[in-house]
Amino acid sequence: MSVFFFCHMTPGRLCEVHFLLGVSDYSASFHFCSSDDLQPVHQGVNPPGEMSFYSDASSDELSDELETLGWYHYDLSRHAAEALLLSNGSDGSYLLRNSNDGPGCFALSVRAKDSVKHFHVTRKDKDGYVFGFNTFATLRDFINHFANQPLLGSDAGTLIVLKCPYPWRVEEPSIYESVRVHTAIQTGRTENDLVPNAPSLGTKEGYLVKQGAFVKNWKQRWFTLNRYELKYFKDKVCEEPIRTLDLRACSAVQFDYSQDRVNCFCLVFPERTFYLCAKTGVEADEWIKILRWKLSHIRKGQ
């Protein structure tokens, strides 16, 4: 069964994006830091397609032209964006949504295989769109950039082609089930007894170098983080993990300086401490932050 999320609509805003995408008809070789430390890898573009990225509404009917963008999801939360793209999207699906960072801040959420990556987007002013080092004078120029399927590369070893936007309006059937049984299992409970509970998503993936358990050598492995499971594979193309670590049994995640390696951190479990190394300090810091965030949510639920 497909699940779709819809949120209250608020006026959108033009944006400046603080990460880089490939742009058609030129190659790029620059670098900057963001939540995924992105780098353009090569041109990697295709001719613009014929599909429309706009909804039926015209700019005359809306207070902001960003609302004419068919894949702008307004106040869709990070959690809901991840659930939506993982459940119903495909590799390379993306959407634009409001960010929690304040007015004029947005996020581009992109599905990369079995994880969802989020990138900061901010609105500069109403006279154009700034995207990385490029300025787009109109919304249509900005969207045509996405029609060229820009390619994202990261230090984590992940390549993402922005293939197709996930639309805000999705056709749904007006079909409902009939209630045949309706009775209370427990009595005397009130609204205060209703405790919302949902697993935190917060996905991440990438290559890390892991120390062996018995032979203390170091080997590169592909790691994926989804819900409360950290899995590592022999390589990115492998379907079966070597091992799955349940973060509910993890007591701590921290930088480690005991190993003769840089950018190293460790995960402490009752039976073993896992030592991992990232390619850069930024990448190691990102892993530590999201893993600690997971542990904090686990402890809140206990």
Side-chain angles (χ1 to χ4, degrees), residues 51-72:
M51 64 181 296
S52 172
F53 294 113
Y54 297 86
S55 63
D56 295 332
S58 68
S59 58
D60 294 334
E61 298 170 339
L62 300 170
S63 60
D64 194 301
E65 67 171 357
L66 190 57
E67 294 185 352
T68 67
L69 186 60
W71 42 278
Y72 172 48

Side-chain angles (χ1 to χ4, degrees), residues 24-84:
S24 61
D25 299 327
Y26 83 104
S27 60
S29 58
F30 33 77
H31 172 81
F32 76 106
C33 291
S34 73
S35 60
D36 281 85
D37 200 20
L38 296 181
Q39 292 176 307
V41 181
H42 56 71
Q43 287 169 267
V45 296
N46 297 323
E50 295 297 323
M51 64 181 296
S52 172
F53 294 113
Y54 297 86
S55 63
D56 295 332
S58 68
S59 58
D60 294 334
E61 298 170 339
L62 300 170
S63 60
D64 194 301
E65 67 171 357
L66 190 57
E67 294 185 352
T68 67
L69 186 60
W71 42 278
Y72 172 48
H73 286 242
Y74 300 88
D75 287 332
L76 188 72
S77 69
R78 180 187 181 114
H79 180 96
E82 292 185 356
L84 185 65

Side-chain angles (χ1 to χ4, degrees), residues 78-134:
R78 180 187 181 114
H79 180 96
E82 292 185 356
L84 185 65
L85 291 172
L86 288 173
S87 298
N88 304 310
S90 58
D91 189 31
S93 297
Y94 57 90
L95 57 86
L96 186 68
R97 60 185 178 83
N98 292 340
S99 169
N100 293 329
D101 292 340
C105 297
F106 302 88
L108 185 73
S109 300
V110 186
R111 176 168 175 175
K113 198 177 179 182
D114 293 326
S115 71
V116 176
K117 299 184 180 297
H118 308 272
F119 306 108
H120 284 296
V121 178
T122 58
R123 184 177 191 173
K124 188 176 179 63
D125 50 44
K126 291 191 175 183
D127 61 3
Y129 291 78
V130 178
F131 201 88
F133 293 146
N134 305 294

